[in-house]
Coordinates of all heavy atoms in Angstrom, one line a residue:
M1 N 17.9 26.2 16.9 CA 16.5 26.5 16.6 C 16.1 25.8 15.3 O 14.9 25.4 15.2 CB 16.2 28.0 16.5 CG 16.3 28.7 17.8 SD 15.1 28.1 18.9 CE 15.7 28.7 20.4
A2 N 17.0 25.7 14.3 CA 16.6 25.0 13.1 C 16.3 23.6 13.3 O 15.4 23.0 12.6 CB 17.8 25.2 12.1
K3 N 17.0 22.9 14.2 CA 16.7 21.5 14.6 C 15.2 21.4 15.1 O 14.5 20.4 14.7 CB 17.7 21.0 15.6 CG 19.0 20.8 15.0 CD 20.0 20.2 16.1 CE 21.4 20.1 15.6 NZ 22.3 19.6 16.6
Q4 N 14.8 22.3 15.9 CA 13.5 22.3 16.5 C 12.4 22.5 15.4 O 11.4 21.8 15.3 CB 13.3 23.3 17.6 CG 12.0 23.2 18.3 CD 11.9 24.3 19.4 OE1 12.8 25.2 19.5 NE2 10.9 24.2 20.2
L5 N 12.7 23.4 14.6 CA 11.8 23.7 13.4 C 11.7 22.5 12.5 O 10.7 22.1 12.0 CB 12.2 24.9 12.6 CG 11.8 26.3 13.2 CD1 12.4 27.4 12.4 CD2 10.4 26.4 13.4
F6 N 12.9 21.9 12.3 CA 13.0 20.7 11.4 C 12.1 19.6 12.0 O 11.4 18.9 11.2 CB 14.4 20.2 11.3 CG 14.6 19.0 10.4 CD1 14.4 19.1 9.0 CD2 14.9 17.8 11.0 CE1 14.6 18.0 8.2 CE2 15.0 16.7 10.2 CZ 14.8 16.8 8.8
L7 N 12.1 19.3 13.3 CA 11.3 18.3 13.9 C 9.8 18.6 13.7 O 9.0 17.7 13.5 CB 11.7 18.0 15.3 CG 13.1 17.4 15.5 CD1 13.4 17.4 17.0 CD2 13.1 16.0 14.9
Y8 N 9.5 19.8 13.9 CA 8.0 20.2 13.8 C 7.6 20.0 12.3 O 6.4 19.7 12.1 CB 7.8 21.6 14.2 CG 7.8 21.8 15.7 CD1 8.5 22.8 16.3 CD2 7.1 21.0 16.5 CE1 8.5 23.0 17.7 CE2 7.1 21.1 17.9 CZ 7.8 22.1 18.5 OH 7.8 22.3 19.8
Y9 N 8.5 20.3 11.4 CA 8.1 20.2 10.0 C 8.2 18.7 9.4 O 7.7 18.4 8.4 CB 9.0 21.1 9.1 CG 8.5 22.5 9.1 CD1 8.6 23.3 10.2 CD2 7.9 23.1 8.0 CE1 8.1 24.6 10.2 CE2 7.5 24.4 8.0 CZ 7.6 25.1 9.1 OH 7.1 26.4 9.1
L10 N 8.9 17.9 10.2 CA 9.1 16.5 9.7 C 7.8 15.6 9.8 O 7.5 14.8 9.0 CB 10.2 15.8 10.5 CG 10.7 14.5 10.1 CD1 11.2 14.5 8.6 CD2 11.7 13.9 11.0
C11 N 7.0 15.9 10.9 CA 5.8 15.0 11.1 C 4.8 15.2 9.9 O 4.4 14.2 9.4 CB 5.1 15.4 12.4 SG 6.1 14.9 13.8
P12 N 4.5 16.4 9.4 CA 3.6 16.4 8.3 C 4.2 15.8 7.0 O 3.4 15.3 6.2 CB 3.3 17.9 8.1 CG 3.7 18.6 9.4 CD 4.7 17.7 10.0
V13 N 5.5 15.9 6.9 CA 6.1 15.3 5.7 C 5.9 13.8 5.7 O 5.6 13.2 4.6 CB 7.6 15.7 5.6 CG1 8.3 14.9 4.6 CG2 7.8 17.2 5.3
I14 N 6.2 13.2 6.8 CA 6.0 11.7 6.8 C 4.6 11.3 6.5 O 4.4 10.4 5.8 CB 6.5 11.2 8.2 CG1 8.0 11.4 8.4 CG2 6.1 9.7 8.4 CD1 8.5 11.1 9.8
L15 N 3.6 12.0 7.1 CA 2.2 11.7 6.8 C 1.9 11.9 5.4 O 1.2 11.1 4.7 CB 1.3 12.5 7.8 CG -0.1 12.3 7.6 CD1 -0.5 10.8 8.0 CD2 -0.9 13.3 8.5
S16 N 2.3 13.0 4.8 CA 1.9 13.3 3.4 C 2.6 12.4 2.4 O 2.0 12.0 1.4 CB 2.2 14.8 3.1 OG 3.6 15.0 3.2
V17 N 3.8 12.0 2.7 CA 4.5 11.1 1.8 C 3.8 9.7 1.8 O 3.6 9.1 0.8 CB 6.0 11.0 2.2 CG1 6.7 9.8 1.5 CG2 6.7 12.3 1.8
T18 N 3.4 9.3 3.0 CA 2.7 8.0 3.1 C 1.4 8.0 2.4 O 1.1 7.1 1.7 CB 2.5 7.7 4.6 OG1 3.7 7.7 5.3 CG2 1.9 6.3 4.8
I19 N 0.6 9.1 2.6 CA -0.7 9.1 1.9 C -0.5 9.3 0.4 O -1.2 8.6 -0.4 CB -1.5 10.3 2.4 CG1 -1.9 10.0 3.9 CG2 -2.7 10.6 1.6 CD1 -2.5 11.2 4.6
S20 N 0.5 10.1 0.0 CA 0.6 10.3 -1.5 C 1.2 9.0 -2.2 O 0.9 8.7 -3.3 CB 1.5 11.5 -1.8 OG 2.8 11.2 -1.3
E21 N 2.0 8.3 -1.4 CA 2.5 7.0 -2.0 C 1.4 6.1 -2.3 O 1.4 5.5 -3.4 CB 3.5 6.4 -1.0 CG 4.1 5.1 -1.6 CD 5.1 4.5 -0.6 OE1 5.1 4.8 0.6 OE2 5.8 3.6 -1.0
A22 N 0.5 5.9 -1.4 CA -0.7 5.0 -1.7 C -1.5 5.5 -2.8 O -2.0 4.8 -3.7 CB -1.5 4.9 -0.4
F23 N -1.8 6.8 -2.8 CA -2.6 7.4 -3.9 C -1.9 7.3 -5.2 O -2.6 7.0 -6.2 CB -2.9 8.9 -3.6 CG -3.8 9.5 -4.6 CD1 -5.1 9.3 -4.7 CD2 -3.2 10.4 -5.5 CE1 -5.9 9.9 -5.6 CE2 -4.0 11.0 -6.4 CZ -5.3 10.8 -6.5
I24 N -0.7 7.6 -5.3 CA 0.1 7.6 -6.6 C 0.2 6.2 -7.1 O 0.1 5.9 -8.3 CB 1.4 8.2 -6.5 CG1 1.3 9.7 -6.2 CG2 2.3 8.0 -7.7 CD1 0.7 10.5 -7.3
L25 N 0.3 5.2 -6.2 CA 0.4 3.8 -6.6 C -0.9 3.4 -7.3 O -0.9 2.8 -8.3 CB 0.7 2.9 -5.4 CG 0.6 1.4 -5.6 CD1 1.7 1.0 -6.6 CD2 0.9 0.7 -4.3
C26 N -2.0 3.7 -6.6 CA -3.4 3.4 -7.2 C -3.6 4.2 -8.5 O -4.1 3.6 -9.5 CB -4.4 3.7 -6.2 SG -6.1 3.4 -6.7
A27 N -3.3 5.5 -8.5 CA -3.6 6.3 -9.7 C -2.7 5.8 -10.9 O -3.1 5.8 -12.0 CB -3.4 7.7 -9.4
G28 N -1.4 5.5 -10.6 CA -0.5 5.0 -11.6 C -0.9 3.7 -12.2 O -0.8 3.5 -13.4
R29 N -1.4 2.8 -11.4 CA -1.9 1.5 -11.8 C -3.1 1.7 -12.7 O -3.2 1.1 -13.8 CB -2.3 0.7 -10.6 CG -2.5 -0.8 -11.0 CD -2.7 -1.6 -9.8 NE -1.6 -1.6 -8.9 CZ -1.7 -1.8 -7.6 NH1 -2.8 -2.1 -7.0 NH2 -0.6 -1.7 -6.9
Q30 N -4.0 2.6 -12.4 CA -5.2 2.9 -13.2 C -4.8 3.5 -14.5 O -5.4 3.3 -15.6 CB -6.2 3.8 -12.4 CG -6.8 3.1 -11.2 CD -7.6 1.9 -11.6 OE1 -8.3 1.8 -12.6 NE2 -7.5 0.8 -10.8
F31 N -3.8 4.4 -14.5 CA -3.3 5.1 -15.7 C -2.8 4.1 -16.7 O -3.1 4.1 -17.9 CB -2.2 6.1 -15.3 CG -1.7 6.8 -16.5 CD1 -2.4 7.9 -17.1 CD2 -0.5 6.5 -17.0 CE1 -1.9 8.5 -18.2 CE2 0.1 7.2 -18.1 CZ -0.7 8.2 -18.7
V32 N -2.1 3.1 -16.2 CA -1.5 2.1 -17.1 C -2.6 1.2 -17.6 O -2.6 0.9 -18.8 CB -0.5 1.2 -16.3 CG1 -0.1 -0.1 -17.1 CG2 0.7 2.0 -16.0
I33 N -3.6 0.9 -16.8 CA -4.7 0.1 -17.3 C -5.5 0.8 -18.4 O -5.8 0.2 -19.4 CB -5.7 -0.3 -16.1 CG1 -5.0 -1.3 -15.2 CG2 -7.0 -0.9 -16.6 CD1 -5.7 -1.6 -13.9
Y34 N -5.9 2.0 -18.2 CA -6.7 2.8 -19.1 C -6.0 3.3 -20.4 O -6.6 3.4 -21.4 CB -7.4 3.9 -18.4 CG -8.5 3.5 -17.4 CD1 -8.4 3.9 -16.1 CD2 -9.5 2.6 -17.8 CE1 -9.3 3.4 -15.2 CE2 -10.4 2.2 -16.9 CZ -10.3 2.6 -15.6 OH -11.3 2.1 -14.7
T35 N -4.7 3.6 -20.3 CA -4.0 4.1 -21.4 C -3.1 3.1 -22.1 O -2.8 3.2 -23.3 CB -3.1 5.3 -21.0 OG1 -2.1 4.8 -20.1 CG2 -3.9 6.4 -20.4
G36 N -2.7 2.0 -21.4 CA -1.8 1.0 -22.0 C -0.4 1.4 -22.0 O 0.5 0.7 -22.5
I37 N 0.0 2.6 -21.5 CA 1.3 3.1 -21.4 C 2.0 2.5 -20.2 O 1.5 2.8 -19.1 CB 1.4 4.6 -21.4 CG1 0.8 5.2 -22.7 CG2 2.9 5.1 -21.2 CD1 0.7 6.7 -22.7
H38 N 3.0 1.7 -20.3 CA 3.6 1.1 -19.2 C 4.7 1.9 -18.6 O 5.8 2.0 -19.2 CB 4.1 -0.3 -19.5 CG 2.9 -1.2 -19.9 ND1 2.1 -1.8 -19.0 CD2 2.5 -1.7 -21.1 CE1 1.2 -2.5 -19.6 NE2 1.4 -2.5 -20.9
T39 N 4.5 2.5 -17.5 CA 5.5 3.3 -16.8 C 5.5 2.9 -15.4 O 4.4 2.7 -14.8 CB 5.2 4.8 -17.0 OG1 5.1 5.1 -18.3 CG2 6.3 5.7 -16.4
E40 N 6.6 2.9 -14.7 CA 6.7 2.5 -13.3 C 6.0 3.5 -12.5 O 6.0 4.7 -12.7 CB 8.1 2.4 -12.9 CG 8.9 1.2 -13.5 CD 8.3 -0.1 -13.0 OE1 8.0 -0.2 -11.8 OE2 8.2 -1.0 -13.8
W41 N 5.3 3.1 -11.4 CA 4.6 4.0 -10.5 C 5.6 4.9 -9.8 O 5.3 6.0 -9.3 CB 3.8 3.2 -9.5 CG 4.5 2.5 -8.5 CD1 5.0 1.2 -8.6 CD2 4.9 2.9 -7.2 NE1 5.7 0.9 -7.4 CE2 5.6 1.9 -6.5 CE3 4.7 4.1 -6.5 CZ2 6.2 2.1 -5.3 CZ3 5.2 4.3 -5.2 CH2 5.9 3.2 -4.6
T42 N 6.9 4.4 -9.6 CA 7.9 5.2 -9.0 C 8.2 6.5 -9.7 O 8.5 7.5 -9.1 CB 9.2 4.4 -8.8 OG1 9.6 3.9 -10.0 CG2 9.0 3.3 -7.8
F43 N 8.0 6.5 -11.1 CA 8.1 7.7 -11.9 C 7.1 8.8 -11.4 O 7.5 9.9 -11.2 CB 8.0 7.4 -13.3 CG 8.1 8.5 -14.2 CD1 9.3 9.2 -14.4 CD2 7.0 9.0 -14.9 CE1 9.4 10.3 -15.3 CE2 7.0 10.1 -15.7 CZ 8.3 10.7 -15.9
Y44 N 5.9 8.4 -11.3 CA 4.8 9.3 -10.9 C 5.1 9.8 -9.5 O 4.9 11.0 -9.1 CB 3.5 8.7 -11.0 CG 3.1 8.2 -12.4 CD1 2.9 6.9 -12.7 CD2 3.1 9.1 -13.5 CE1 2.6 6.4 -13.9 CE2 2.8 8.7 -14.7 CZ 2.6 7.3 -15.0 OH 2.3 6.9 -16.2
F45 N 5.5 8.9 -8.6 CA 5.7 9.2 -7.2 C 6.9 10.2 -7.1 O 6.9 11.1 -6.4 CB 6.0 8.0 -6.4 CG 6.2 8.2 -4.9 CD1 5.1 8.7 -4.2 CD2 7.4 8.1 -4.4 CE1 5.3 8.9 -2.8 CE2 7.6 8.3 -3.0 CZ 6.6 8.8 -2.2
G46 N 8.0 9.9 -7.9 CA 9.1 10.8 -7.9 C 8.8 12.2 -8.4 O 9.3 13.1 -7.8
I47 N 8.0 12.3 -9.4 CA 7.6 13.7 -9.9 C 6.9 14.4 -8.8 O 7.2 15.6 -8.5 CB 6.8 13.6 -11.1 CG1 7.6 13.1 -12.3 CG2 6.1 14.9 -11.5 CD1 6.9 12.8 -13.6
S48 N 5.9 13.8 -8.2 CA 5.1 14.5 -7.1 C 6.0 14.7 -5.9 O 5.9 15.7 -5.2 CB 3.9 13.7 -6.8 OG 4.2 12.4 -6.2
F49 N 6.9 13.8 -5.6 CA 7.8 13.9 -4.4 C 8.7 15.1 -4.6 O 8.9 15.9 -3.6 CB 8.6 12.6 -4.3 CG 9.3 12.4 -3.0 CD1 8.6 12.2 -1.8 CD2 10.7 12.5 -2.9 CE1 9.2 12.0 -0.6 CE2 11.3 12.3 -1.7 CZ 10.6 12.1 -0.6
V50 N 9.3 15.3 -5.7 CA 10.3 16.4 -6.0 C 9.5 17.7 -5.9 O 10.0 18.7 -5.3 CB 11.0 16.2 -7.3 CG1 11.7 17.4 -7.8 CG2 12.0 15.0 -7.2
G51 N 8.4 17.8 -6.6 CA 7.6 19.0 -6.5 C 7.2 19.4 -5.1 O 7.3 20.5 -4.7
F52 N 6.7 18.4 -4.4 CA 6.3 18.6 -3.0 C 7.5 19.1 -2.1 O 7.3 20.1 -1.4 CB 5.7 17.4 -2.4 CG 5.4 17.5 -0.9 CD1 4.3 18.2 -0.5 CD2 6.2 16.9 0.0 CE1 4.0 18.3 0.9 CE2 6.0 17.0 1.4 CZ 4.9 17.7 1.8
F53 N 8.6 18.4 -2.2 CA 9.7 18.8 -1.4 C 10.3 20.2 -1.8 O 10.9 20.9 -1.0 CB 10.8 17.8 -1.4 CG 10.6 16.8 -0.2 CD1 10.2 15.5 -0.4 CD2 10.9 17.2 1.1 CE1 10.0 14.7 0.7 CE2 10.7 16.4 2.2 CZ 10.3 15.1 1.9
G54 N 10.2 20.5 -3.1 CA 10.7 21.8 -3.5 C 9.9 22.9 -2.9 O 10.5 23.9 -2.3
I55 N 8.6 22.8 -2.9 CA 7.7 23.8 -2.3 C 7.9 23.8 -0.8 O 8.0 24.8 -0.1 CB 6.3 23.6 -2.7 CG1 6.1 23.9 -4.2 CG2 5.3 24.5 -1.9 CD1 4.8 23.4 -4.7
Y56 N 8.0 22.6 -0.2 CA 8.1 22.5 1.3 C 9.4 23.0 1.8 O 9.5 23.6 2.9 CB 7.9 21.0 1.7 CG 7.4 20.8 3.1 CD1 6.1 21.1 3.4 CD2 8.2 20.3 4.1 CE1 5.6 20.9 4.7 CE2 7.8 20.2 5.4 CZ 6.4 20.4 5.7 OH 6.0 20.3 6.9
F57 N 10.5 22.8 1.0 CA 11.8 23.3 1.4 C 11.8 24.9 1.4 O 12.3 25.5 2.3 CB 12.9 22.8 0.5 CG 14.2 23.4 0.8 CD1 14.9 23.0 1.9 CD2 14.8 24.4 0.0 CE1 16.1 23.5 2.3 CE2 16.0 24.9 0.3 CZ 16.7 24.5 1.5
L58 N 11.1 25.4 0.4 CA 11.0 26.9 0.4 C 10.2 27.4 1.5 O 10.6 28.4 2.2 CB 10.4 27.4 -1.0 CG 11.3 27.2 -2.2 CD1 10.4 27.6 -3.4 CD2 12.5 28.1 -2.1
Y59 N 9.1 26.7 1.9 CA 8.3 27.1 3.0 C 9.1 27.0 4.3 O 9.1 27.9 5.1 CB 7.1 26.2 3.0 CG 6.1 26.5 4.2 CD1 5.5 27.7 4.3 CD2 5.8 25.5 5.1 CE1 4.6 28.0 5.3 CE2 5.0 25.7 6.1 CZ 4.4 27.0 6.2 OH 3.5 27.2 7.3
F60 N 9.9 26.0 4.5 CA 10.7 25.8 5.7 C 11.8 26.9 5.7 O 12.1 27.5 6.8 CB 11.4 24.4 5.7 CG 12.3 24.2 6.8 CD1 11.8 23.9 8.1 CD2 13.7 24.3 6.6 CE1 12.7 23.7 9.1 CE2 14.5 24.1 7.7 CZ 14.0 23.8 9.0
A61 N 12.4 27.2 4.6 CA 13.5 28.2 4.6 C 13.0 29.6 4.9 O 13.6 30.3 5.7 CB 14.2 28.2 3.2
V62 N 11.8 29.9 4.4 CA 11.2 31.2 4.7 C 10.8 31.3 6.2 O 11.1 32.3 6.8 CB 10.0 31.5 3.8 CG1 9.2 32.7 4.3 CG2 10.5 31.7 2.4
T63 N 10.2 30.2 6.7 CA 9.9 30.2 8.1 C 11.1 30.3 9.0 O 11.1 31.0 10.0 CB 9.1 28.9 8.4 OG1 8.0 28.8 7.6 CG2 8.7 28.8 9.9
C64 N 12.2 29.6 8.7 CA 13.4 29.6 9.4 C 14.0 31.0 9.4 O 14.5 31.6 10.4 CB 14.4 28.6 8.9 SG 15.8 28.3 10.0
F65 N 14.0 31.6 8.2 CA 14.5 33.0 8.1 C 13.7 34.0 8.9 O 14.3 34.8 9.7 CB 14.5 33.4 6.6 CG 14.9 34.8 6.4 CD1 16.2 35.2 6.5 CD2 13.9 35.8 6.1 CE1 16.6 36.6 6.3 CE2 14.3 37.1 5.9 CZ 15.6 37.5 6.0
Q66 N 12.4 33.9 8.8 CA 11.6 34.8 9.6 C 11.7 34.6 11.1 O 11.7 35.5 11.9 CB 10.1 34.7 9.2 CG 9.8 35.2 7.8 CD 9.8 36.8 7.8 OE1 10.3 37.4 8.8 NE2 9.4 37.3 6.7
F67 N 11.9 33.3 11.5 CA 12.0 33.0 12.9 C 13.3 33.6 13.4 O 13.3 34.2 14.5 CB 12.0 31.5 13.1 CG 12.2 31.0 14.5 CD1 11.1 31.2 15.4 CD2 13.3 30.5 15.0 CE1 11.2 30.7 16.7 CE2 13.4 30.1 16.3 CZ 12.4 30.2 17.1
H68 N 14.4 33.4 12.7 CA 15.7 34.0 13.1 C 15.6 35.5 13.1 O 16.2 36.2 14.0 CB 16.8 33.5 12.2 CG 17.2 32.1 12.5 ND1 17.9 31.7 13.6 CD2 17.0 31.0 11.9 CE1 18.1 30.5 13.6 NE2 17.5 29.9 12.5
K69 N 14.9 36.1 12.2 CA 14.8 37.6 12.1 C 14.0 38.1 13.3 O 14.3 39.1 13.9 CB 14.1 37.9 10.8 CG 14.0 39.4 10.6 CD 13.3 39.6 9.2 CE 12.9 41.1 9.1 NZ 12.2 41.3 7.8
N70 N 12.9 37.4 13.7 CA 12.1 37.8 14.8 C 12.7 37.7 16.1 O 12.5 38.5 17.0 CB 10.8 37.1 14.8 CG 9.8 37.5 13.7 OD1 10.0 38.6 13.1 ND2 8.9 36.7 13.3
I71 N 13.6 36.7 16.4 CA 14.2 36.5 17.7 C 15.5 37.2 17.7 O 16.2 37.2 18.8 CB 14.3 35.0 18.1 CG1 15.2 34.2 17.2 CG2 12.9 34.4 18.2 CD1 15.5 32.9 17.7
G72 N 16.0 37.7 16.6 CA 17.3 38.5 16.6 C 18.5 37.7 16.6 O 19.5 38.1 17.2
L73 N 18.6 36.5 16.0 CA 19.8 35.8 15.9 C 20.7 36.2 14.8 O 20.4 36.4 13.7 CB 19.5 34.3 15.8 CG 19.0 33.6 17.1 CD1 18.7 32.1 16.8 CD2 20.0 33.7 18.2

């Protein structure tokens, strides 16, 4: 059952990572232009990626736990 839940949760992750990558690339480039601080865009993307996956993993774990609890596994 965890595999089935994983597949259902994978589709929104792929979409959100794709959208956030484009947004962070644009925002990071503008940040460098306006502030003059030269930092790679991957740094900003990495921070948002880790935060997103931390919350998303907790959400998946709670859902998986509740699912197993409800079906009695």
Side-chain angles (χ1 to χ4, degrees):
M1 292 297 166
K3 289 180 185 179
Q4 185 179 9
L5 283 174
F6 179 73
L7 290 176
Y8 285 132
Y9 278 69
L10 187 62
C11 292
V13 167
I14 292 171
L15 181 63
S16 64
V17 167
T18 304
I19 292 170
S20 67
E21 181 180 16
F23 180 75
I24 295 296
L25 176 61
C26 180
R29 191 175 302 153
Q30 293 299 320
F31 181 77
V32 168
I33 290 170
Y34 291 124
T35 63
I37 299 173
H38 295 286
T39 307
E40 291 292 321
W41 71 273
T42 53
F43 177 71
Y44 302 116
F45 183 70
I47 289 172
S48 64
F49 194 69
V50 168
F52 172 76
F53 267 109
I55 294 168
Y56 205 73
F57 177 75
L58 288 174
Y59 180 60
F60 177 77
V62 168
T63 302
C64 193
F65 173 75
Q66 288 290 9
F67 182 73
H68 285 285
K69 183 179 169 184
N70 286 338
I71 63 169
L73 287 179

